[in-house]
Amino acid sequence: MNIKEIARKAGVSVATVSRVLNHPENVAPKTKEHILKVMEESEYIPNWFARGLNFNKTNTIGLLIPNILNPGYMEIAKGVEDVAHQKDYTTLLCNGENELDKERKYIDTLIKRRIDGIVLISSLLEHEDIMNIKKQEIPIVLIGENKYMSADVPLVRIDCQNGAYKAVKHLIENKYKDIAIIYGDTPEQENKRKLIGYKQALEEEKIIENPEYIIEVGNNIEEGYIAAKKLIDLKKPPRAIFASSDLLAIGAIDAMKDYEVKVPEQIAVIGFDNIQMANLIEPKLTTIAKPMHKMGVVGARLLFDIMDSKDNGDQIKPREILLQSKLKIRKSCGHKERIGEIF
Amino acid sequence: MNIKEIARKAGVSVATVSRVLNHPENVAPKTKEHILKVMEESEYIPNWFARGLNFNKTNTIGLLIPNILNPGYMEIAKGVEDVAHQKDYTTLLCNGENELDKERKYIDTLIKRRIDGIVLISSLLEHEDIMNIKKQEIPIVLIGENKYMSADVPLVRIDCQNGAYKAVKHLIENKYKDIAIIYGDTPEQENKRKLIGYKQALEEEKIIENPEYIIEVGNNIEEGYIAAKKLIDLKKPPRAIFASSDLLAIGAIDAMKDYEVKVPEQIAVIGFDNIQMANLIEPKLTTIAKPMHKMGVVGARLLFDIMDSKDNGDQIKPREILLQSKLKIRKSCGHKERIGEIF
DNA sequence: ATGAAAGCGCTAACAG
DNA sequence: CTGTTAGCGCTTTCAT
């Protein structure tokens, strides 16, 4: 069933049929009605390719994420999708699986399919890959700390420094002074920022940094465990630990359990990320929550802004949008207040 | 950059260029090399729409799932994606959000985009929706218990009856006899099957059913809690509970904690689904694990089979594929053996 | 082995 | 307000 047949059945020209599809205001109401009815009856669906060939637009954006099984990333993805869906765009979700090759292959696919824009979440792509995309004149925005970063690509990210600062401040407000940090996220940039935030908070309170209290590790539960063990074994162990990720914090708490150090009575632990698990372990983990969904929403909006301005031919300069994280008070820092929880 | 320009640059006709893309064996090696080089230099990317317009094929399948934030569904999705990706197909992931309207809208989008096949996971779609898809001659397969089910649409699902049977058998093997069931998943079909499996196991062991031990509820933590409370309060409480979902089991365990009933010492609890949380609560939940990823893989393979046979013009009759679940022994049933866990 | 040309289904400029 | 027609970029017969 194609436009020609509809035209024939309706006794009009293909142009008129096409018009009711694209500029219905330019068609006489009566003819329009009639054609619409014929379309309905014939269950006509305009050929996607033929339209695309004319418009050169797919109404599709590509979204590359590192891991679709990670609910955190999917929250961002949902944010992107929500915006896209509302604008009648379809989202092509690509699972890079944290492998550069896979990511590259997906980008190729996206370019081949002539998607209208790309959102990259924490991707491993390098300068040349990004340049490839830009060469195709495909609007692009990065969400989260990507491996490649520069001022010429728009970026939405979390203010990790401030997040870390807030975390440590919270510890201090709860009368902890001997505060250690276990840090070591990928990517590097975030690490540094968190460390800076930590130092900033200490400094502000005139607490002198203790190098023994600063431990850099890889980002997983095991290393959190090991690091915490080290801290416990110090001559003068800290009274509180700021872990730069919930995974590390969970590892740390695990170590405390094994060595019978009470959390938070003897040592307080605060994490970062607010992963689901944080609310399930005992004691429930106080942590810094990142606005994942919002990142997606803001990133997608930014992308659409760029796409629009590209359509209008005006130049838009790449922006960096900084989103703030939020302190989520639970039990692991012994604070009196508590957020209401499900069970 | 289009085929015409390449032809001009290479000093050949567009037909020849097109041939090196589609039937390279029909082009003289030398010309081929040359054209390939020109393409490379010009960074030529064939127009997706123009090709589609000729081939009438998108190399894309649609995948509708109820909730992208649910890692369980995403595991299935990953299975589908893995197969598709390997076959050089792109997957369009649609987040139905458990709303019929949204699902319908997505299906429309998919049909409009002329995707080559559809995988539906636990969808709410009804008979007429499915018929709509079939009318377009789009191959389709269902994964999991969908609202609409009939023998004329291929289906991949879990053998819930056997899963329930295995769960109850496990309890019996651990010397429990007074076994209650709390059941109430969506969708209905699964419920029934689990109840049947439960009864089957009891019967086999000549255990007489106690109607007080059979409680039907909605599928959430709270109702699990309430149901467990009821069971505790019985004159003769059960010694073990089979919950038809981990959510219910977790609610039940929660109730036990509140009313100081020891799990598994006083009452054993077994769940169903093996959600992530099952491994995080205390005591770790023994449960029935469904092969989610495999469901996706098998479903996708089935879809590609159908698509292939459609291309070849041969008829394939709809099949139902039944996948088995697996007992995951942890702590909540007091079994001696234990599966090794991460921490 | 290669080229000319028709056609895939639709849109839009142009003419009326 | 509507019809005619020239493309959009590519594939594929049919010649040569």
Side-chain angles (χ1 to χ4, degrees):
Chain A
M1 186 58 48
N2 59 27
I3 202 173
K4 225 160 152 184
E5 285 206 49
I6 300 294
R8 193 182 48 70
K9 282 196 193 178
V12 295
S13 76
V14 290
T16 308
V17 178
S18 174
R19 263 186 219 107
V20 348
L21 253 22
N22 303 294
H23 311 284
E25 66 281 8
N26 297 335
V27 180
K30 273 177 93 170
T31 8
K32 187 165 59 187
E33 294 305 318
H34 179 220
I35 295 175
L36 249 17
K37 216 176 77 197
V38 175
M39 283 179 172
E40 178 82 11
E41 284 166 1
S42 319
E43 299 185 4
Y44 169 64
I45 299 171
N47 186 301
W48 174 259
F49 298 116
R51 304 195 93 193
L53 193 51
N54 282 285
F55 292 135
N56 218 27
K57 194 165 173 293
T58 45
N59 262 255
T60 306
I61 61 172
L63 172 59
L64 181 65
I65 82 174
N67 181 3
I68 56 172
L69 297 180
N70 181 327
Y73 288 126
M74 287 310 291
E75 266 179 66
I76 306 183
K78 182 162 187 314
V80 173
E81 226 273 335
D82 285 346
V83 174
H85 193 253
Q86 187 209 325
K87 302 222 176 215
D88 225 30
Y89 268 69
T90 302
T91 307
L92 220 45
L93 182 68
C94 306
N95 183 19
E97 306 207 9
N98 264 320
E99 293 170 30
L100 183 54
D101 282 351
K102 272 215 170 142
E103 293 195 351
R104 285 205 171 121
K105 204 180 153 206
Y106 268 121
I107 294 297
D108 281 351
T109 310
L110 292 176
I111 293 176
K112 259 197 220 124
R113 295 192 173 229
R114 289 187 142 63
I115 43 96
D116 301 327
I118 296 186
V119 176
L120 254 36
I121 301 180
S122 307
S123 93
L124 267 31
L125 295 180
E126 293 164 7
H127 182 260
E128 57 163 308
D129 301 299
I130 307 289
M131 288 310 114
N132 260 328
I133 299 173
K134 294 197 98 175
K135 198 157 49 192
Q136 307 291 337
E137 308 221 300
I138 301 177
I140 176 175
V141 348
L142 309 180
I143 295 185
E145 309 262 346
N146 286 241
K147 181 158 180 207
Y148 168 77
M149 293 216 297
S150 92
D152 59 354
V153 181
L155 169 69
V156 177
R157 66 172 182 85
I158 301 285
D159 187 345
C160 284
Q161 181 180 332
N162 182 259
Y165 172 84
K166 277 192 283 207
V168 177
K169 269 291 201 183
H170 176 70
L171 292 172
I172 294 171
E173 277 160 17
N174 282 277
K175 311 297 175 218
Y176 297 104
K177 295 222 153 186
D178 304 320
I179 301 171
I181 178 173
I182 303 176
Y183 75 111
D185 282 317
T186 42
E188 216 188 320
Q189 300 272 18
E190 285 193 5
N191 278 337
K192 287 188 189 146
R193 294 209 178 89
K194 287 174 188 171
L195 185 59
I196 294 173
Y198 162 81
K199 293 189 174 187
Q200 181 191 350
L202 292 190
E203 199 171 323
E204 214 174 281
E205 303 284 336
K206 309 254 188 291
I207 300 174
I208 297 146
E209 239 177 272
N210 178 347
E212 282 185 330
Y213 287 175
I214 301 179
I215 301 188
E216 185 168 6
V217 293
N219 183 34
N220 55 60
I221 293 179
E222 287 71 23
E223 302 221 20
Y225 185 103
I226 296 165
K229 178 71 170 63
K230 268 193 205 152
L231 290 170
I232 297 170
D233 289 344
L234 286 176
K235 236 180 241 155
K236 191 191 169 201
R239 288 292 329 279
I241 297 175
F242 163 50
S244 76
S245 78
D246 286 351
L247 250 32
L248 290 172
I250 288 167
I253 290 178
D254 237 43
M256 313 280 197
K257 278 186 193 156
D258 285 357
Y259 295 96
E260 295 183 346
V261 177
K262 283 223 155 45
V263 180
E265 290 78 2
Q266 295 175 265
I267 297 186
V269 177
I270 190 166
F272 205 112
D273 288 346
N274 192 30
I275 62 177
Q276 202 199 8
M277 226 194 266
N279 200 23
L280 295 172
I281 58 163
E282 200 51 50
K284 289 176 182 176
L285 185 65
T286 292
T287 189
I288 301 292
K290 308 191 214 168
M292 304 302 267
H293 184 266
K294 188 173 175 188
M295 275 214 276
V297 169
V298 170
R301 290 217 184 109
L302 183 53
L303 181 68
F304 280 105
D305 280 354
I306 298 170
M307 280 160 47
D308 287 348
S309 58
K310 182 188 157 202
D311 289 349
N312 301 335
D314 36 87
Q315 209 60 39
I316 193 169
K317 61 168 185 294
R319 296 190 277 156
E320 176 170 322
I321 300 180
L322 212 57
L323 261 31
Q324 292 305 325
S325 49
K326 237 171 85 181
L327 178 64
K328 196 101 191 168
I329 299 171
R330 288 198 271 250
K331 301 265 271 190
S332 66
C333 296
H335 197 273
K336 303 124 296 243
E337 300 172 35
R338 267 194 62 202
I339 300 302
E341 279 143 34
I342 305 171
F343 55 90
Chain B
M1 186 57 50
N2 60 26
I3 201 172
K4 225 163 154 180
E5 285 206 52
I6 300 294
R8 192 182 47 71
K9 283 196 192 178
V12 296
S13 76
V14 291
T16 309
V17 178
S18 174
R19 268 194 284 264
V20 350
L21 253 22
N22 302 293
H23 310 284
E25 65 281 8
N26 297 335
V27 180
K30 272 178 92 171
T31 9
K32 185 165 61 189
E33 294 305 318
H34 179 220
I35 295 175
L36 249 17
K37 215 177 78 198
V38 175
M39 284 179 171
E40 178 82 10
E41 284 167 1
S42 318
E43 300 184 5
Y44 169 63
I45 299 171
N47 185 301
W48 175 259
F49 298 116
R51 304 196 92 190
L53 193 51
N54 283 284
F55 293 135
N56 219 27
K57 193 162 173 293
T58 45
N59 261 254
T60 306
I61 61 172
L63 172 59
L64 182 65
I65 81 174
N67 181 4
I68 56 172
L69 298 180
N70 181 326
Y73 288 125
M74 287 309 292
E75 266 179 67
I76 306 183
K78 182 163 187 315
V80 173
E81 225 275 334
D82 285 346
V83 174
H85 193 253
Q86 188 209 323
K87 302 222 176 213
D88 224 29
Y89 268 68
T90 301
T91 308
L92 221 43
L93 181 68
C94 305
N95 183 19
E97 306 206 8
N98 264 320
E99 293 169 30
L100 183 54
D101 283 350
K102 272 215 172 145
E103 293 195 351
R104 285 204 171 123
K105 207 182 147 204
Y106 269 120
I107 293 297
D108 281 350
T109 309
L110 292 177
I111 293 177
K112 259 197 220 125
R113 295 192 172 229
R114 290 186 141 63
I115 42 98
D116 301 328
I118 296 185
V119 176
L120 254 35
I121 301 180
S122 307
S123 93
L124 267 31
L125 295 179
E126 293 163 6
H127 183 261
E128 57 163 308
D129 302 298
I130 307 288
M131 287 310 115
N132 261 327
I133 298 173
K134 294 197 98 175
K135 198 157 50 192
Q136 307 291 338
E137 308 223 299
I138 301 177
I140 177 175
V141 350
L142 309 180
I143 295 184
E145 309 262 347
N146 286 241
K147 180 159 180 207
Y148 168 78
M149 294 217 297
S150 92
D152 58 356
V153 180
L155 169 69
V156 178
R157 67 172 182 86
I158 301 286
D159 187 345
C160 284
Q161 180 180 333
N162 182 259
Y165 172 85
K166 276 191 284 207
V168 178
K169 269 290 201 183
H170 176 70
L171 292 172
I172 294 170
E173 278 160 16
N174 282 277
K175 312 296 175 218
Y176 296 104
K177 294 222 155 185
D178 304 320
I179 301 171
I181 177 173
I182 304 176
Y183 74 111
D185 282 317
T186 43
E188 216 188 319
Q189 300 273 19
E190 284 194 4
N191 278 335
K192 287 188 190 146
R193 293 208 178 90
K194 287 173 186 170
L195 185 60
I196 294 173
Y198 163 81
K199 293 189 173 187
Q200 181 191 351
L202 292 190
E203 197 171 324
E204 214 174 281
E205 304 283 337
K206 309 253 189 291
I207 299 175
I208 297 147
E209 239 177 88
N210 178 347
E212 283 187 327
Y213 287 175
I214 301 180
I215 301 188
E216 185 168 5
V217 293
N219 183 33
N220 55 60
I221 293 179
E222 287 72 24
E223 302 220 23
Y225 186 102
I226 296 166
K229 178 71 170 64
K230 267 193 206 152
L231 290 170
I232 296 171
D233 289 344
L234 286 176
K235 236 181 240 154
K236 189 190 171 204
R239 287 293 328 280
I241 298 175
F242 163 51
S244 77
S245 77
D246 286 351
L247 249 32
L248 290 172
I250 289 167
I253 290 178
D254 238 42
M256 312 280 197
K257 278 186 192 157
D258 285 357
Y259 294 96
E260 295 183 347
V261 176
K262 283 222 156 43
V263 180
E265 290 78 2
Q266 294 175 266
I267 298 186
V269 176
I270 190 165
F272 205 113
D273 286 346
N274 192 30
I275 63 177
Q276 203 199 8
M277 225 194 268
N279 200 23
L280 294 171
I281 58 162
E282 201 51 50
K284 290 176 181 177
L285 184 66
T286 292
T287 189
I288 300 291
K290 309 188 212 170
M292 304 302 267
H293 184 266
K294 187 173 175 187
M295 274 215 275
V297 169
V298 171
R301 289 215 185 111
L302 183 53
L303 180 68
F304 280 104
D305 280 355
I306 298 169
M307 280 161 45
D308 288 347
S309 59
K310 182 188 156 202
D311 289 348
N312 302 336
D314 36 87
Q315 208 62 39
I316 192 169
K317 62 169 184 294
R319 296 191 277 155
E320 177 171 323
I321 300 180
L322 211 57
L323 262 31
Q324 291 305 325
S325 49
K326 236 171 86 183
L327 178 64
K328 195 100 189 169
I329 299 170
R330 288 199 270 250
K331 301 265 271 188
S332 66
C333 296
H335 197 274
K336 302 126 297 250
E337 299 172 37
R338 267 194 62 203
I339 298 303
E341 279 142 33
I342 304 172
F343 55 90

